Amino acid sequence: MFSDDLGGVGFWSIPLFTGVIGWLINWSGLWMLFSPVHFRGVRLPGLAQVAPALPRRVQEVPGVLRGRLGWQGIVPARAAKMGSIAVDKAISRIGTPREFYERLDPDAIADHIVQAFRPGVPLLVDEIMWREHPQLWANLPRGIRTGVLDRVQAQLPQVATRVTAEIGEHIDQLLDPKLMVIDHFERHPEVVVRIFRDFGARELRMMVVFGFVFGFLLGIPVAVADHALHQWWLLPVLGVGVGWVTNRLGMWLIFEPPEPRRVGPFRVQGLFARRQWEAADVYARHIAADVITLERIGAHLLDGPAGDRTRQVIVTALHPAVDQALGPFVPAVRAAIGPRRLEAIRRSVALEAADRTLVPLRDADFSARQSVRIRELVAERCRALPPRDFVEMMRAAIKEDEWLLYAHGAIMGAAGGLVHLWLFGVGG
């Protein structure tokens, strides 16, 4: 009779049911990873005050420490942390600030600065001279004034080259890739989601499919136990284990082991690590297009923590420009207005030009053209990373929150057991 039961609809309904539940667990688990990008929930009075006393695991739930009850995708909620890990595990090994800057071709940057800056040079010099010493500028014959402006424009290529060379010389002190990446990820968590989805798109799809496979296989011993013991509580309790193990197996399938291992005649390696060569190119495309771009480097140099120092470097590079522009008239001008006034004009020209010099770097089209160089560098170095570091770069940001996915699987497994019990009763 027992063997007849094993071939019945009631028996096989259990592994089919656990297979569907496994598919739903992994599908909804992926939703929990990525959605919503921004926190959605409500403020719970008093939660912020008691949150520090709650267990650490509870504090890690998005929103709790801010006194809010709701949800934010695990990946976007940990965007800043993922940025930090990405730098520590990969980007810092991929290249130094100097290497990134040199890959962007300083000579091409200087040429672009000249092309963008040249039309505004006469107006800039004219404005500064009328402001700093209108009497001198007014008394100069038009031919001399035109000669000064022509000199400034003629020396612009040398000035731009001097500026980019000076920036390159001090780039390790002026550019902080870690801060730049963390700040961008924190401001734009959707970029992190896009990187993660595209980076592991194939593995994530397989995780959902294998949710059904694992759920079905785990459901067979559950069905045997249910038909043998005929206890109402068995399916919900075993459903907890099925849900938990299904998620654990899904994560293991993607990430473990990072290094290839031999198990008998089989070569075993995590799906993600196995596809490192291809995934590295996807990662490089996103980093070069969204994160470490010439446009963002220019903004970071001027507006970042070292912005004042960047300006000082540019001022130093531009300082000789006034003397070169005045050429043989320098002694006469110094005698006419005094060395202090001449120095004020020099500094004013340099300061005004410093704020405008790097503006061309924010040209999105030029940045996009230069990004190909960064993409090549990132892809090349990512492929050279040890598989363990490559895998850790993506997994570490969510590792401490994986328990939420496992708990979610356990709850859904228990709920699936109760639903099956309601539909088919004890013993199917």
Side-chain angles (χ1 to χ4, degrees):
M1 178 67 179
F2 183 69
S3 61
D4 290 340
D5 288 344
L6 295 184
V9 174
F11 177 88
W12 288 106
S13 68
I14 292 177
L16 284 172
F17 212 82
T18 54
V20 172
I21 293 296
W23 184 89
L24 284 172
I25 285 171
N26 284 2
W27 177 83
S28 56
L30 290 185
W31 184 90
M32 289 176 65
L33 273 178
F34 301 120
S35 302
V37 172
H38 299 284
F39 183 86
R40 291 182 186 173
V42 295
R43 187 169 298 281
L44 198 65
L47 180 58
Q49 287 68 41
V50 302
L54 295 174
R56 187 177 66 86
R57 291 290 197 190
V58 178
Q59 293 180 25
E60 290 171 359
V61 175
V64 167
L65 286 175
R66 291 179 292 168
R68 303 178 72 186
L69 200 61
W71 187 253
Q72 181 181 13
I74 292 172
V75 168
R78 303 290 184 258
K81 181 178 179 180
M82 186 175 174
S84 176
I85 292 169
V87 174
D88 292 339
K89 294 289 180 183
I91 293 175
S92 61
R93 303 185 189 187
I94 287 169
T96 64
R98 185 181 299 276
E99 284 180 300
F100 281 119
Y101 184 71
E102 287 175 355
R103 275 294 178 114
L104 288 168
D105 191 356
D107 289 339
I109 293 172
D111 289 343
H112 185 67
I113 289 172
V114 170
Q115 292 171 17
F117 198 31
R118 177 170 274 151
V121 166
L123 183 61
L124 171 65
V125 174
D126 196 53
E127 285 178 357
I128 292 171
M129 292 304 295
W130 279 115
R131 184 178 68 240
E132 294 294 332
H133 211 295
Q135 192 63 45
L136 168 68
W137 196 237
N139 289 338
L140 282 177
R142 181 177 295 275
I144 294 178
R145 273 190 286 172
T146 301
V148 169
L149 296 177
D150 289 343
R151 277 176 173 273
V152 171
Q153 286 194 305
Q155 66 174 310
L156 189 56
Q158 290 84 0
V159 170
T161 300
R162 192 185 306 136
V163 167
T164 54
E166 282 291 318
I167 290 174
E169 187 67 28
H170 300 87
I171 194 69
D172 289 325
Q173 292 80 46
L174 301 178
L175 185 67
D176 185 344
K178 185 168 186 174
L179 187 61
M180 189 171 76
V181 172
I182 291 173
D183 179 66
H184 189 66
F185 279 4
E186 196 167 32
R187 290 173 181 268
H188 303 281
E190 69 278 1
V191 172
V192 185
V193 171
R194 190 160 62 245
I195 289 174
F196 210 112
R197 279 187 182 278
D198 289 355
F199 198 32
R202 183 181 302 179
E203 290 72 24
L204 295 175
R205 286 195 300 270
M206 290 187 70
M207 184 177 175
V208 174
V209 171
F210 273 97
F212 178 85
V213 175
F214 293 146
F216 182 87
L217 295 175
L218 291 168
I220 294 174
V222 171
V224 171
D226 180 61
H227 278 68
L229 300 176
H230 292 275
Q231 297 294 321
W232 71 267
W233 49 264
L234 201 60
L235 283 181
V237 170
L238 292 180
V240 170
V242 170
W244 184 281
V245 172
T246 296
N247 256 339
R248 287 298 295 256
L249 285 173
M251 296 299 286
W252 182 88
L253 182 74
I254 291 177
F255 295 116
E256 299 293 339
E259 307 283 352
R261 294 180 188 171
R262 281 284 174 187
V263 180
F266 302 104
R267 179 178 178 271
V268 179
Q269 187 180 19
L271 294 173
F272 189 58
R274 192 181 302 175
R275 213 167 54 87
Q276 178 173 346
W277 186 270
E278 181 184 343
D281 192 57
V282 176
Y283 185 71
R285 186 176 71 242
H286 281 289
I287 293 297
D290 296 319
V291 185
I292 303 180
T293 66
L294 180 60
E295 190 177 2
R296 296 201 63 249
I297 287 174
H300 184 82
L301 286 173
L302 279 180
D303 304 326
D308 289 342
R309 187 168 182 181
T310 301
R311 286 179 175 81
Q312 187 55 51
V313 166
I314 297 174
V315 165
T316 302
L318 292 174
H319 211 256
V322 173
D323 287 350
Q324 292 175 15
L326 291 174
F329 302 105
V330 171
V333 172
R334 184 183 290 113
I337 66 174
R340 292 181 62 183
R341 195 64 181 167
L342 180 60
E343 179 60 28
I345 292 174
R346 281 198 195 104
R347 184 156 188 83
S348 184
V349 169
L351 284 171
E352 293 259 357
D355 277 332
R356 303 189 193 191
T357 299
L358 294 189
V359 170
L361 302 195
R362 301 184 188 185
D363 180 337
D365 290 337
F366 180 66
S367 177
R369 292 196 298 273
Q370 296 297 100
S371 72
V372 175
R373 300 170 180 273
I374 294 294
R375 177 177 174 177
E376 290 170 351
L377 174 65
V378 175
E380 168 192 316
R381 300 293 175 84
C382 270
R383 288 175 183 140
L385 284 174
R388 183 171 298 278
D389 288 339
F390 185 74
V391 169
E392 190 73 4
M393 180 175 64
M394 295 305 288
R395 189 179 186 184
I398 65 170
K399 200 166 188 177
E400 69 180 31
D401 295 317
E402 283 179 13
W403 72 272
L404 288 168
L405 298 177
Y406 304 149
H408 157 76
I411 292 168
M412 286 194 67
L418 289 171
V419 172
H420 188 278
L421 188 66
W422 176 66
L423 289 173
F424 294 94
V426 178

